[in-house]
Every structure is written in structure tokens, then in C-alpha cells.
Amino acid sequence: MKNIILVLLVTFVGFSVQAQEKKNKNAKYTITVNGNCEQCQRRIQKAAFSVNGVKTANWSIETHKLVVTINEEKTSILEVKRAVARVGHDVEEIKSSKESYNNLPNCCQYDRQE
């Protein structure tokens, strides 16, 4: 009887540790993304969510900060930055192409640092 209880206890602890390890694969990042309005907000968040492994994405119009939670086994923060830059928004060290930026609506064309 003691052996059965011991086996069940070890099994339960094993599953608990495994579940905890799975949780820790998610990481939260805050990055600066240039933009102006609600259209920018939708575009930036949609670009972030287009990356497989992004769990949450929220861009603030006021602070220009994109807070994302990603599964680091599926993607990296660099992939999220690249996706956002591809749709026309400069991200910290990654600039969008001139073509992507020029395709933004006029209200979304922010002042770029050259």
C-alpha cells in the first residue's frame, strides 16, 4: 500500500513540475513602436499576432509601447519586431522599409528618425 501511495505521489509531483516548466516558456517583453492612432494600434497588434507563438499583444497610443507575451519555444522577440516593421512601423533597432512606411495612411505616417 505504501508503494502505491509513493508511486502516485511521485507521479503527481512529476506532472506538477512539468506543468510549471511549460508556464515558464512564456516571456513578456515591452518594445517601443512608432505610430499615431487607432488604425496604427490595430495594424501593430495584428502584425504581432501574425507571428506564431504570440500569446498577447497590446500597443498603447499614448506611450508607443507594445507589450507582448510570447512562447519562446515557438518564436523570438526579434521575429515580432520584424513582423511589425514589415507593416510600416519602426521598432526600436529595426526600421521599416520606405515602401512599407509610404503605404501607411497619411494619419499613420509618424515623424521618422533618419
Side-chain angles (χ1 to χ4, degrees), residues 64-105:
H64 293 202
K65 301 290 182 188
L66 174 64
V67 179
V68 293
T69 304
I70 63 171
N71 179 334
E72 291 188 313
E73 286 190 336
K74 294 183 179 181
T75 193
S76 68
I77 193 62
L78 183 59
E79 289 304 314
V80 176
K81 290 177 181 181
R82 287 178 180 155
V84 172
R86 276 193 297 273
V87 298
H89 294 274
D90 294 344
V91 180
E92 294 174 347
E93 70 275 1
I94 301 175
K95 292 190 80 143
S96 66
S97 69
K98 283 187 178 186
E99 181 181 3
S100 294
Y101 174 79
N102 290 336
N103 285 334
L104 293 174

